[in-house]
Amino acid sequence: MTDLFARHSALLNDAVQALKSRGFWSPFPETPSGKIYGETARADGEAGFAALLDQPFVLPGHPGTAQVGAEVSPFGPALGITYPAADPAALIAAAQAAAPAFAAAGPEARVGALIEALQRLNRISFLIGTATMHTTGQAFAMAFQAGGPHAQDRGLEAVAMAWDEITRFAASARWEKPQGKAAPLVLEKHWTLVPAGLSLVIGCNTFPTWNTYPGLFASLATGNPVIVKPHPAAILPLALTVRVLREVFAEAGLPADAVLLAADTAEAPVTQGLATDPAVRLIDFTGSSAFGDWLRRTATQARLFTEETGVNTVTIAASPDFAGMCDNLAFSLALYSGQMCSAPQTIFVPGSGIETDQGHKSFDAVAQGLAEAIDRLLADPARAAGVAGALANPATLDRLQAARASGRVIRDSAALGAGRSASPLVLAVAAGEAAAEEECFGPVAFVVACGDAEEGISRAAALARDKGAITAALYDTDEARIGRAIGAFAAAGVNLSINLTGNIFVNQSAAFSDFHVTGANPAGNACLTDTAFVAPRFHRVMWRRQIAT
C-alpha cells in the first residue's frame, strides 16, 4: 500500500517546503489550456458532463437505499442527476466499519493514496470545472480554476500540513536516564497516532470543492473516515471527488467506505442527524453564522472548524493611483457577482473626500469613479458574463432588491445575460447604517461616508472584530497611518491588503502562501491551512516498557 507514497514522495516534499517558504508554488496548472491538459480536454470534459445528466450517478459499493437529486444550473437547465442516498445511521455504520483498517494502514499509505487521488482529480479538471459551473453559476474559467486546480492545491496543502505535523516527532525512542553509580533506567517508548474519529465535511453552494477539500483531505490524511455532505444544489463536483477517492482507496487496499457521500435535498436534509451523532468527532462547515451557531450549541461532541458570515471592508483614505484603484475594486466587486467569502462589501470613504494622483476627489466623485469602473468592466457582454457568471441562489436576487432601500443608488444593478444574473448595486450610505454593517451576500456594495480616514480605519477594524471579516483592504499614501492600520486590523484578526492595483485582487487567496481566514474573528474559527487545522484531528498515545540493562 506504500507504493503510491514512494511514487509521490518528491511532490510531497516539495509541498512541505512550499508550506514553510510561503512563496508562489503550485503543482496544478490553473490555465484551462489544451496545451497543458490535452487538445481535446475541454470537449472531453463537456462530453463527460453531458453523459452524467438525467440518470443515476454511479458510486460502486456505496451505501444507499434510494436515489436523490434536484440540482438546477443557475444558467437554466435541470441536471436530472440522482445520487445514492442512505440515512445517517447507515452512513455512520459504514464509516465506523471502515475506521479500524483505515487507521491501521498508516500515514504513508493514506498520504500516497490521497496525492494519487489529487493527481487524478487534476486530470479531470475540465469535467469538474463544467460541473462546478453548472452547480454554482461561476463562469467557466473561474469554475475550472476554483473547482479544479486551486481546490486541488488546497487539498494538497492540507495533506502536506498533516504529514508535517504527523512526522514532527519520533515514532519511537530509547529513553535512558543515568542513575549515578547504579545502572541507568532504560525504557523503550512508542507513540501511536490515534485518529480523532469520524469526520463530517459540510459543503457550500458557491465553492463546493475549494471550501471542502481542506477539511476532507486533512481528516483523511490523519486517519479519520469522512462523510462528505454537499449542499443539495451543488452535489456533482463532490460526488466526482468522492468517486475518485473511493476508486483510489480500493486500488490501494484501503477501505472505500473511508469516504462517503451524504446526498440529500433541501426538503429532506440529513445534516443535523449526522452532525449530532456521537460518533462524529470532527465537523468542517462553510456557511451562515446562523447554522454555525446551531452547530456550536448542538453538536457539542465534535471539534468544529468553521468559515462563516462576515463583513469585508475597504477603507479609502487616499489613493496613489485612482484609476487603478477603481478598476481593481470594480473587478473585485463584480467577480462571481460578489458571491465570494472574500469579496469586499462595505467601503469607507471620508465624507470630505480624498487626495489622489488626480487631485482631490469628493466623496461622490470616489463613489462615481467606482461605478464608472464597473460600467467599463462590464460594457462588453461576453466579458461581463465571464467575470460575473450567474447567481447560485435565487434568494440573492431578493436580498439585492431589499438592499436597494438602504441608501442612495450610485449604480443600479441589471441583468447581464444568460441565466440568473445581476451586476453590482452600489449604494451611498451614512456611517452607522445598519445594512452596511451586516453581510449582504451577493453583488451589493455600500460606500459609507465617515468623518475622516482614521474613523474609516477604526470602523472597518471594529466590524472585523465584532461581526467578522475574511478580508480587509486599505488605500492610503500616509505611511504612518498605514502602519497604524496594520496594527488595528491585526488586532481585529483580519488579513489586510494595501493599495492593490493591476491583476491581484483582495478576493484571491493562494494556497501554500496565504492563510485563508485567521480564526481570530467571528468569520471563522479555523485557518486554511495551519497546524491548528490539522493537529486536533489525531492524538499521540504512548506505550512504554522497561529494558533490562
Side-chain angles (χ1 to χ4, degrees):
M1 290 194 294
T2 59
D3 291 348
L4 292 175
F5 183 83
R7 181 186 304 174
H8 298 302
S9 60
L11 177 59
L12 175 62
N13 291 336
D14 288 346
V16 171
Q17 281 304 115
L19 287 175
K20 297 176 179 179
S21 65
R22 310 311 294 181
F24 172 77
W25 185 77
S26 171
F28 302 119
E30 67 176 4
T31 305
S33 168
K35 294 180 180 178
I36 298 171
Y37 287 93
E39 293 300 331
T40 65
R42 179 155 190 174
D44 292 343
E46 291 173 349
F49 173 74
L52 295 171
L53 300 178
D54 300 314
Q55 60 182 302
F57 186 90
V58 178
L59 276 176
H62 193 281
T65 55
Q67 293 287 127
V68 301
E71 295 160 296
V72 178
S73 171
F75 296 102
L79 272 58
I81 305 172
T82 59
Y83 305 89
D87 63 36
L91 293 171
I92 295 290
Q96 286 179 312
F102 195 59
E108 289 191 0
R110 293 193 301 266
V111 166
L114 292 172
I115 298 177
E116 173 66 20
L118 286 166
Q119 297 272 28
R120 294 189 192 184
L121 287 166
N122 181 250
R123 292 198 287 271
I124 61 167
S125 289
F126 278 90
L127 172 57
I128 290 179
T130 305
T132 301
M133 175 182 175
H134 284 290
T135 52
T136 69
Q138 295 171 25
F140 178 76
M142 182 178 187
F144 175 88
Q145 291 182 341
H150 291 176
Q152 295 147 17
D153 280 345
R154 283 294 186 192
L156 181 59
E157 178 184 51
V159 171
M161 186 66 76
W163 174 256
D164 194 48
E165 189 64 25
I166 286 169
T167 58
R168 180 180 299 276
F169 306 112
S172 62
R174 178 184 173 92
W175 185 85
E176 187 167 336
K177 182 178 181 179
Q179 296 292 299
K181 294 182 179 179
L185 297 176
V186 183
L187 295 174
E188 63 169 307
K189 300 185 178 184
H190 301 262
W191 289 272
T192 302
L193 302 179
V194 179
L198 302 192
S199 174
L200 173 65
V201 180
I202 304 171
C204 65
N205 189 177
T206 47
F207 289 89
T209 57
W210 197 96
N211 277 106
T212 297
Y213 279 16
L216 169 62
F217 281 88
S219 281
L220 291 172
T222 49
N224 305 281
V226 179
I227 298 172
V228 179
K229 167 59 187 75
H231 190 285
I235 301 173
L236 182 56
L238 289 175
L240 290 165
T241 301
V242 168
R243 184 160 71 185
V244 168
L245 281 164
R246 289 175 63 87
E247 288 172 351
V248 173
F249 286 178
E251 292 171 18
L254 297 169
D257 282 351
V259 60
L260 296 158
L261 184 73
D264 67 357
T265 63
E267 295 75 24
V270 300
T271 310
Q272 293 181 341
L274 288 167
T276 54
D277 192 288
V280 171
R281 309 300 295 179
L282 301 165
I283 299 176
D284 290 89
F285 167 69
T286 301
S288 73
S289 293
F291 194 71
D293 288 340
W294 183 89
L295 287 168
R296 274 182 285 275
R297 292 192 309 269
T298 313
T300 55
Q301 85 291 348
R303 179 65 180 263
L304 185 61
F305 304 86
T306 73
E307 180 184 318
E308 303 174 57
T309 305
V311 183
N312 299 323
T313 64
V314 180
T315 304
I316 303 177
S319 178
D321 179 1
F322 184 75
M325 176 191 76
C326 290
D327 287 341
N328 188 275
L329 287 175
F331 190 87
S332 297
L333 293 168
L335 183 61
Y336 187 30
S337 300
Q339 298 170 105
M340 301 180 69
C341 60
S342 53
Q345 174 190 292
T346 299
I347 304 168
F348 292 101
V349 179
S352 59
I354 63 169
E355 299 304 318
T356 79
D357 60 321
Q358 299 180 12
H360 183 80
K361 295 283 186 180
S362 68
F363 173 87
D364 281 350
V366 174
Q368 192 59 40
L370 291 172
E372 291 172 357
I374 294 170
D375 288 341
R376 288 195 300 273
L377 175 68
L378 303 180
D380 176 69
R383 182 168 66 175
V387 171
L391 301 179
N393 193 320
T396 304
L397 278 177
D398 299 333
R399 193 179 304 117
L400 185 151
Q401 295 297 341
R404 199 176 259 108
S406 302
R408 175 166 53 96
V409 175
I410 300 296
R411 183 191 186 279
D412 208 349
S413 177
L416 286 170
R420 185 170 50 237
S421 63
S423 67
L425 170 68
V426 181
L427 301 166
V429 302
E433 167 59 45
E437 296 183 354
E438 301 290 342
E439 184 181 77
C440 186
F441 191 73
V444 179
F446 300 94
V447 185
V448 181
C450 53
D452 57 20
E454 297 286 0
E455 180 187 330
I457 292 168
S458 177
R459 284 182 175 274
L463 274 179
R465 182 183 63 248
D466 299 338
K467 299 296 180 68
I470 292 175
T471 63
L474 172 69
Y475 290 87
D476 204 352
T477 55
D478 184 326
E479 287 299 326
R481 191 163 56 206
I482 290 172
R484 293 193 295 275
I486 290 171
F489 286 107
V494 61
N495 296 320
L496 177 66
S497 298
I498 302 167
N499 290 335
L500 294 184
T501 57
N503 290 324
I504 186 69
F505 306 97
V506 68
N507 320 56
Q508 296 170 318
S509 181
F512 299 100
S513 185
D514 295 327
F515 291 104
H516 178 72
V517 191
T518 64
N521 70 59
N525 73 355
C527 172
L528 307 182
T529 304
D530 63 3
T531 52
F533 187 73
V534 300
R537 299 173 193 263
F538 70 96
H539 309 283
R540 287 184 174 86
V541 181
M542 180 182 69
W543 67 268
R544 63 184 182 175
R545 64 184 170 192
Q546 196 163 355
I547 300 175
T549 58

